[in-house]
Amino acid sequence: NAGVTQTPKFQVLKTGQSMTLQCAQDMNHEYMSWYRQDPGMGLRLIHYSVGAGITDQGEVPNGYNVSRSTTEDFPLRLLSAAPSQTSVYFCASSGLAGVPPNGDTQYFGPGTRLTVL
Amino acid sequence: ILNVEQSPQSLHVQEGDSTNFTCSFPSSNFYALHWYRWETAKSPEALFVMTLNGDEKKKGRISATLNTKEGYSYLYIKGSQPEDSATYLCAFRASGTYKYIFGTGTRLKVLA
């Protein structure tokens, strides 16, 4: 199993450009999520999904869109990049709660470092 | 807005010392509390999933306790080793939601 994969690893954008961060998992997990990590802020939830066709907003959803057309993939779209979106982005997946042995433990991808100039 | 706080923000200990950190979270509507270990340049990795008041979990030299009534969890490391150096994160999930709220982490540096 590859686990959770993210592409690209690094990206530089200009203000106003759009792009899609890719996330895929091969563990048949229902739950997938996107976080951003900023210094002193910890991990903040952007959007999440509990299954194909179902998405919802997290703490900081503005400026980002998501879709979940398959169980495996959960892309994050930046519609019009802004310098405030400079961050490291992590995708994570988990089974839904109550399924042993790991319950809803999240498995994280390697991250995408995004810089918006 | 749910608030999850971790203390201390950072600490340095000598090899062989035992140490502990705190994660504070809302005491109402508790569903689960997760602990993660996050090494520099890597991704967070799960340590424990805690769901019941009074839970105690252990993995090697690392253990954790949970008090949902007062809203805190402790993570203990016995006989710290340099390889324990990492940021330790806790994440709280309230009942009725699939959202995880992370604390800002405790950064541990173990000096050889």
Side-chain angles (χ1 to χ4, degrees):
Chain A
N1 285 354
V4 180
T5 57
Q6 291 183 238
T7 56
K9 288 188 177 180
F10 303 94
Q11 183 71 50
V12 179
L13 293 177
K14 294 182 179 178
T15 297
Q17 287 185 315
S18 62
M19 80 159 295
T20 299
L21 307 185
Q22 301 291 344
C23 174
Q25 53 92 9
D26 61 0
M27 296 174 282
N28 201 31
H29 283 163
E30 300 94 333
Y31 184 90
M32 296 186 74
S33 55
W34 277 101
Y35 295 89
R36 58 178 290 173
Q37 189 254 326
D38 303 294
M41 301 290 289
L43 290 168
R44 292 184 293 168
L45 182 65
I46 305 172
H47 285 285
Y48 67 96
S49 168
V50 296
I54 307 170
T55 64
D56 206 347
Q57 296 181 349
E59 298 174 82
V60 288
N62 292 341
Y64 308 95
N65 272 0
V66 292
S67 59
R68 185 96 178 269
S69 56
T70 67
T71 299
E72 295 77 19
D73 301 297
F74 191 44
L76 178 73
R77 297 184 189 83
L78 279 70
L79 308 173
S80 177
S84 60
Q85 294 179 304
T86 294
S87 188
V88 181
Y89 291 85
F90 287 95
C91 178
S93 73
S94 74
L96 289 177
V99 179
N102 294 321
D104 58 349
T105 298
Q106 292 195 80
Y107 297 84
F108 285 82
T112 295
R113 185 175 294 275
L114 175 68
T115 301
V116 183
L117 303 175
Chain B
I1 297 177
L2 299 176
N3 202 28
V4 178
E5 296 183 352
Q6 292 188 246
S7 63
Q9 281 190 329
S10 66
L11 75 162
H12 291 69
V13 301
Q14 291 294 131
E15 184 176 357
D17 287 350
S18 294
T19 187
N20 64 85
F21 330 130
T22 304
C23 173
S24 300
F25 51 85
S27 56
S28 58
N29 300 319
F30 176 87
Y31 184 85
L33 192 285
H34 295 191
W35 281 100
Y36 292 86
R37 181 172 180 272
W38 193 0
E39 292 181 71
T40 302
K42 294 187 177 180
S43 306
E45 292 185 348
L47 284 172
F48 304 116
V49 176
M50 311 186 80
T51 56
L52 298 175
N53 184 46
D55 255 357
E56 292 188 22
K57 298 280 178 101
K58 186 175 182 181
K59 184 181 292 187
R61 294 179 290 98
I62 305 177
S63 60
T65 60
L66 179 68
N67 183 325
T68 61
K69 296 186 185 307
E70 296 184 38
Y72 65 83
S73 176
Y74 293 140
L75 188 79
Y76 301 91
I77 302 179
K78 184 178 179 181
S80 302
Q81 300 297 309
E83 58 264 32
D84 295 328
S85 297
T87 297
Y88 292 83
L89 297 172
C90 66
F92 167 79
R93 176 180 164 185
S95 59
T97 177
Y98 289 102
K99 297 180 182 181
Y100 297 84
I101 307 299
F102 279 80
T104 54
T106 292
R107 186 179 301 173
L108 173 67
K109 177 73 173 176
V110 182
L111 305 171

